[in-house]
Amino acid sequence: MRAVRLLALPALLVLLWWAVSGSSFYLPSPLRVGQAFAETWFSERLTDDVLPSVGRLLMGYAAAGLLGVGLGVPIGSSPRLRATLEPVLEFFRAIPPPVLVPLIMLLAGIDTPMKVLVIVSGCLWPILLNTVEGVRALDEVLADTCRMYGVRGLARLRRLVLPGAAPQIMTGLRQALSIGIILMVISEMFASSSGLGFTIVLFQRQFQIAEMWSGILLLGLLGLGLSALFRRVERRVLSWYYGSGAARA
Amino acid sequence: MLEISALNKAYQSPGRRVEAIRSITLGVGAGELVCVVGPSGCGKTTLLRCVAGLLPASGGEVRLDGVPVTGPPPRMAVVFQEYGRSLFPWMTVRQNVELPLKEKRVPAARRRELVTGSLEAVGLADAADAHPWQLSGGMQQRVAIARAVAYEPQVLLMDEPFAAVDAQTRADLEDLILRLWRDLEVTTLFVTHDIDEAVYLGQRVIVLSSSPTEVMEDLKIDLPPGRDQLTTRSLPRFGELRGHVYRQIQRARGER
Ligand SMILES: Nc1ncnc2c1ncn2[C@@H]1O[C@H](COP(=O)(O)OP(=O)(O)OP(=O)(O)O)[C@@H](O)[C@H]1O
Ligand SMILES: [Mg+2]
């Protein structure tokens, strides 16, 4: 029953696609795209283009996560630091990350470091700002409890700060994931010779329309898979949060 | 043991200054149990937080064993009025009680003993693996008490710790505190708004005036030391003391 409800709308959309396809050269039928999908991606493109792309995405995402939480904790803990840095951080967050690509290309070349850096430069801000906010809003009574019972230093970080800020940190990580996927593609559209984004542009230029569509389909599926994975991790990490009903409040 | 001298506390915020405590001078001897009563908003919590070293005083000072308190002293435990918010929602009841012991580097075996013992004492042995948000308010309050008890403090500060429990549980917990205090000789400062409770538990009852607060009366409770819910509460002297404290609080409120 659940499977039916889950698949009903996608099936309907595919049918609709079928009905309108063929009317245009640029809109091949689902069958044609499916064929192209299998031919294109179950080949060495998987190891040459897709996996390196995903690898760079994960690398940049992980680096942004470490950096964002690592900087967010001290900034969130210190009102002085926060007051000084927050306007600047908001400014950087407001810059659309794709415009940084030309700049980063000048600094880091056109290879893997540039692409990872582009992903970091976009993923960092939501993680950083949400961590700052989560740490800032830690419950005072819990903080006092830690002071009273001698919970300080690393123990305080592990028992109070990180779990207390975890709901916000996860929000930041979720936002960063979708930004990361976008930037993964964009970073490969500039001056690149491999990668998922590059391949899609290449197909478009060569009028391999079904192949191009299959690339878009792959990106959609990738995003779907990653966000499902993320939800599972989040459910586990924040089980207390969902259980306590704080999430609904 | 604990000396509070000319303690003054004003909350300062831009454009506003609230003098919560005018001047409190008060001593608590080693192993003494002193109850503090006063009208709502008179600064009982403020007093306790100053004594705990969580809040800097605006004037005067608090000394523990002759040493000025500038931060939370070791071997002091507090049961906060906001008991629910003082428990870590991401930990189980057992982990909540155990955390301070871990930080104190109590060996694992002894830790288990203390945690089990204190949870049994507050009647929550079965709830050890639950999370705080799965418990009722009264149960949460008892977890906070168990945590303070397991810590084996030298000084115990309690801020209306029984406010959320039913009458029977309350009587049990009162006797638990008395037993603990007698057995472990914990110096205890106990804030309550319940006059009966103050007279029943305390060797002394401090009546505070309404804000800005001063000590209105420091009353010695001359009831026999072995207290019992039934016999102590039915003593004529109990009634007299209770009536006296009641009238004092009425006076404190009237002065506003
Ligand atoms: N953080 C704060 N900032 C400003 N004023 C405060 C603050 N905390 C308490 N006050 C004020 O100080 C006074 C005493 O508050 P306190 O919480 O100590 O009272 P209380 O005796 O514990 O009250 P209750 O019996 O209701 O718990 C009140 O007038 C309150 O408004
Ligand atoms: Mg209070």
Side-chain angles (χ1 to χ4, degrees):
Chain A
M1 195 54 222
R2 222 187 116 212
V4 171
R5 203 169 328 148
L6 219 60
L7 293 175
L9 189 58
L12 201 70
L13 286 175
V14 170
L15 280 179
L16 201 67
W17 175 9
W18 211 306
V20 298
S21 69
S23 61
S24 157
F25 169 69
Y26 297 110
L27 193 57
S29 74
L31 193 67
R32 179 70 197 83
V33 172
Q35 259 171 5
F37 190 94
E39 281 162 19
T40 312
W41 303 113
F42 297 125
S43 67
E44 68 272 18
R45 281 205 198 282
L46 184 68
T47 47
D48 292 354
D49 292 303
V50 180
L51 291 184
S53 283
V54 174
R56 286 191 291 265
L57 169 63
L58 294 183
M59 218 172 356
Y61 185 64
L66 286 178
L67 210 60
V69 175
L71 293 175
V73 167
I75 297 174
S77 309
S78 152
R80 283 265 270 309
L81 211 52
R82 208 164 57 232
T84 321
L85 293 180
E86 215 144 49
V88 183
L89 297 182
E90 289 290 351
F91 171 76
F92 278 115
R93 193 243 254 287
I95 299 177
V99 307
L100 292 178
V101 175
L103 176 69
I104 294 175
M105 263 165 67
L106 287 180
L107 298 174
I110 56 169
D111 294 327
T112 301
M114 177 278 272
K115 292 168 189 152
V116 174
L117 220 56
V118 168
I119 294 171
V120 173
S121 73
C123 291
L124 178 61
W125 309 109
I127 302 176
L128 178 61
L129 291 171
N130 275 288
T131 305
V132 168
E133 186 50 30
V135 172
R136 189 193 62 74
L138 284 177
D139 194 301
E140 292 161 45
V141 181
L142 275 186
D144 281 347
T145 303
C146 282
R147 284 182 70 191
M148 236 26 248
Y149 288 117
V151 182
R152 22 180 137 64
L154 271 183
R156 187 172 185 280
L157 184 68
R158 212 159 78 85
R159 309 288 184 188
L160 171 71
V161 178
L162 290 181
Q168 285 273 4
I169 293 176
M170 290 312 262
T171 302
L173 285 171
R174 191 170 342 102
Q175 292 170 5
L177 187 59
S178 43
I179 295 177
I181 294 174
I182 296 172
L183 289 179
M184 171 190 83
V185 177
I186 290 181
S187 71
E188 293 164 355
M189 287 181 166
F190 290 87
S192 188
S193 55
S194 71
L196 207 44
F198 163 76
T199 316
I200 294 174
V201 175
L202 183 73
F203 287 144
Q204 184 248 350
R205 288 198 189 127
Q206 300 177 343
F207 290 98
Q208 290 177 282
I209 300 304
E211 283 74 10
M212 183 193 81
W213 276 100
S214 78
I216 295 171
L217 191 66
L218 180 66
L219 273 176
L221 291 175
L222 182 69
L224 203 64
L226 286 176
S227 91
L229 195 68
F230 185 88
R231 240 200 331 267
R232 286 186 67 141
V233 174
E234 187 180 38
R235 283 272 149 194
R236 168 158 298 192
V237 173
L238 297 182
S239 59
W240 62 269
Y241 183 67
Y242 293 111
S244 67
R248 267 163 274 138
Chain B
M1 175 88 191
L2 189 64
E3 297 136 63
I4 304 163
S5 40
L7 181 75
N8 171 273
K9 177 68 199 178
Y11 288 102
Q12 197 85 50
S13 54
R16 214 171 96 93
R17 187 170 182 278
V18 182
E19 189 177 36
I21 294 178
R22 166 83 30 99
S23 172
I24 291 184
T25 299
L26 170 68
V28 183
E32 207 177 4
L33 198 170
V34 174
C35 291
V36 176
V37 294
S40 181
C42 76
K44 305 182 289 294
T45 298
T46 304
L47 170 65
L48 224 61
R49 287 170 55 84
C50 287
V51 172
L54 292 170
L55 203 59
S58 310
E61 66 172 0
V62 177
R63 282 170 177 269
L64 182 63
D65 285 329
V67 185
V69 172
T70 51
R75 303 218 54 199
M76 183 186 274
V78 178
V79 177
F80 290 96
Q81 189 170 10
E82 303 96 335
Y83 54 89
R85 282 168 59 197
S86 83
L87 301 174
F88 299 88
W90 45 86
M91 296 184 198
T92 62
V93 165
R94 184 197 310 283
Q95 289 166 334
N96 263 285
V97 178
E98 197 178 14
L99 177 63
L101 306 180
K102 275 191 177 153
E103 293 313 308
K104 225 169 71 166
R105 308 240 181 287
V106 178
R110 174 76 182 135
R111 226 156 56 204
R112 247 190 320 276
E113 204 177 306
L114 284 168
V115 172
T116 314
S118 67
L119 284 177
E120 258 166 27
V122 299
L124 283 179
D126 293 338
D129 294 315
H131 283 267
W133 38 268
Q134 294 169 318
L135 308 179
S136 71
M139 290 163 93
Q140 292 175 9
Q141 209 161 28
R142 283 185 278 156
V143 176
I145 295 170
R147 178 169 63 189
V149 168
Y151 194 59
E152 297 187 299
Q154 204 175 13
V155 180
L156 178 58
L157 310 178
M158 304 182 103
D159 197 352
E160 305 196 14
F162 307 150
V165 300
D166 62 278
Q168 186 55 50
T169 311
R170 187 176 190 127
D172 292 346
L173 289 175
E174 284 167 3
D175 289 333
L176 169 72
I177 294 298
L178 282 178
R179 204 164 59 236
L180 224 80
W181 164 69
R182 246 194 323 267
D183 294 352
L184 305 174
E185 293 172 346
V186 194
T187 307
T188 307
L189 198 59
F190 190 103
V191 167
T192 174
H193 59 248
D194 184 324
I195 298 167
D196 279 49
E197 184 167 272
V199 174
Y200 176 69
L201 288 177
Q203 292 180 298
R204 278 158 59 204
V205 170
I206 311 292
V207 184
L208 298 180
S209 71
S210 59
S211 189
T213 309
E214 292 173 322
V215 175
M216 196 160 165
E217 181 165 17
D218 185 339
L219 180 70
K220 184 158 172 33
I221 302 297
D222 47 3
L223 292 169
R227 312 263 165 109
D228 174 272
Q229 292 286 354
L230 285 177
T231 53
T232 304
R233 283 180 194 266
S234 54
L235 290 173
R237 182 67 189 145
F238 184 87
E240 284 168 31
L241 287 165
R242 194 182 62 176
H244 180 79
V245 174
Y246 183 79
R247 276 188 300 277
Q248 288 288 62
I249 291 187
Q250 284 301 87
R251 229 185 79 205
R253 295 176 47 172
E255 275 173 5
R256 244 195 282 211

